[in-house]
Amino acid sequence: MLNLKANAKINLTLDVIGRRDDGYHDMVTIMQGTTLSDDIFIDISDGGGKVSVETDKVYLPNGEKNIAGKAARVYLDSFGINNKDVSIKIIKQIPVCAGLGGGSADAAAVIVGLEEYFNMPLSDRINTADTIGSDVPFCFFNGTMLARGRGEVLENLPALPDCAIVLCKPAFSISTPKLFGKLDEQKIKCRPDTDGMIRALEAGDFSGVAHRCFNVFESVLPSAHRQTVEHIKDVMLSGGAGGAAMSGTGSAVFGIYFDKDKALDSAELLKREYKECFIAKPL
Ligand code: C5P
């Protein structure tokens, strides 16, 4: 039995720079791994190449409909392995449909686990991972990275200065393709200062980083959702966060705090209104 951690990511900045011919969008985003994680258990036995997935959330798909199962299938097929069964169990802690890359992290962990077990790394790991989901390549690395393209062109950045991260997911979820569609319909007026964020990271300047947290998707949220996101950001900022933004296509919002006690207080305050609130550290 293999036991792996799958870590949530946040997008410190998120910009979408254009629609591509393949229907996807080119992005420029600074991604950050966090210590909030799912637990993945993988059992490999003799069999006929069957993949099964079980989670502790009834609403999540099982088997190969689950992105973690899809990852196992892609791995087995890449090597033509058809004499083993792969059984995956996922204990979720990362909120689902939240923009925190939970499913992608689970998929990446499955690939890492299978590579270890069979002692056979995928030959084109990043591009293979990208076919499973746009955030999967980042999940192999965590840390602080600049991601471009669909998310598969990755560059290491200096680490986010030590801080606490509060993550809060409101009850609603947002459809990722729909939100990309909304962005296509209008001209983006405000974009993140990605270069400034990189300079702040290079200087180890926490407040320079925090002030520049920015996500273009917030501007195209339906108004009720936007109000909720703004409210969570207000609670975080007035509670001492240096910066706050929605992560990915939401609906989770993160705040980064220099002072860990203030992060704890904010998380407690937010928990009164939202069930899914967590405190994490950069990874
Ligand atoms: O790759 P992933 O399955 O996470 O993407 C989900 C959906 O989000 C895609 O089907 C696409 O509509 C949209 N997407 C996009 N451009 C990206 C990433 C995702 O348009 N770079």
Side-chain angles (χ1 to χ4, degrees):
M1 174 84 83
L2 301 164
N3 181 4
L4 298 108
K5 289 269 177 212
N7 294 88
K9 60 83 183 166
I10 54 174
N11 300 83
L12 295 173
T13 62
L14 178 45
D15 200 0
V16 176
I17 55 174
R19 191 167 190 275
R20 308 174 354 167
D21 291 342
D22 61 5
Y24 281 86
H25 294 73
D26 278 320
M27 308 200 299
V28 179
T29 173
I30 297 179
M31 300 176 82
Q32 174 65 53
T34 79
T35 52
L36 178 66
S37 60
D38 292 342
D39 283 298
I40 314 285
F41 301 91
I42 308 176
D43 194 26
I44 298 157
S45 54
D46 290 339
K50 187 167 172 283
V51 171
S52 60
V53 179
E54 192 191 314
T55 76
D56 61 344
K57 301 273 181 255
V58 283
Y59 50 83
L60 284 179
N62 291 327
E64 288 174 37
K65 287 203 180 114
N66 187 299
I67 184 171
K70 185 177 166 191
R73 170 55 54 212
V74 166
Y75 183 89
L76 294 180
D77 287 353
S78 305
F79 293 102
I81 300 168
N82 54 16
N83 59 349
K84 298 278 178 194
D85 287 346
V86 176
S87 157
I88 300 162
K89 186 157 185 215
I90 305 174
I91 309 295
K92 292 296 295 179
Q93 214 203 344
I94 305 172
V96 173
C97 293
L100 297 174
S104 301
D106 298 345
V110 166
I111 291 180
V112 170
L114 295 179
E115 284 183 335
E116 259 172 42
Y117 177 86
F118 289 104
N119 198 19
M120 293 193 295
L122 287 170
S123 62
D124 193 3
R125 197 183 198 218
I126 297 296
N127 287 317
T128 306
D130 196 38
T131 63
I132 299 167
S134 304
D135 289 332
V136 182
F138 170 78
C139 298
F140 289 133
F141 305 101
N142 287 300
T144 312
M145 295 189 107
L146 175 66
R148 285 178 290 116
R150 271 179 61 181
E152 80 286 9
V153 185
L154 290 163
E155 218 176 286
N156 261 318
L157 292 174
L160 174 66
D162 187 32
C163 63
I165 304 170
V166 173
L167 300 151
C168 175
K169 172 163 184 307
F172 59 85
S173 289
I174 300 166
S175 151
T176 297
K178 266 197 195 151
L179 218 53
F180 271 104
K182 288 247 184 210
L183 266 193
D184 292 336
E185 287 165 16
Q186 65 187 67
K187 194 164 161 42
I188 301 173
K189 292 194 194 95
C190 264
R191 293 182 181 275
D193 175 12
T194 311
D195 291 341
M197 175 71 93
I198 293 171
R199 282 196 299 275
L201 285 166
E202 282 165 350
D205 168 14
F206 174 77
S207 102
V209 169
H211 284 127
R212 289 182 174 87
C213 290
F214 190 89
N215 182 341
V216 288
F217 283 113
E218 287 179 36
S219 68
V220 290
L221 289 172
S223 80
H225 293 171
R226 188 166 178 186
Q227 276 171 29
T228 304
V229 166
E230 284 302 325
H231 170 66
I232 296 171
K233 283 167 63 175
D234 281 348
V235 173
M236 289 174 168
L237 294 169
S238 54
M246 188 172 79
S247 185
T249 50
S251 59
V253 177
F254 69 87
I256 57 175
Y257 295 71
F258 186 70
D259 182 331
K260 291 174 184 77
D261 290 333
K262 288 187 176 165
L264 280 169
D265 291 346
S266 277
E268 281 309 312
L269 211 55
L270 285 163
K271 262 185 205 158
R272 292 182 199 166
E273 284 185 89
Y274 307 99
K275 223 169 60 191
E276 293 189 283
C277 282
F278 303 88
I279 189 141
K281 289 198 324 187
L283 188 66

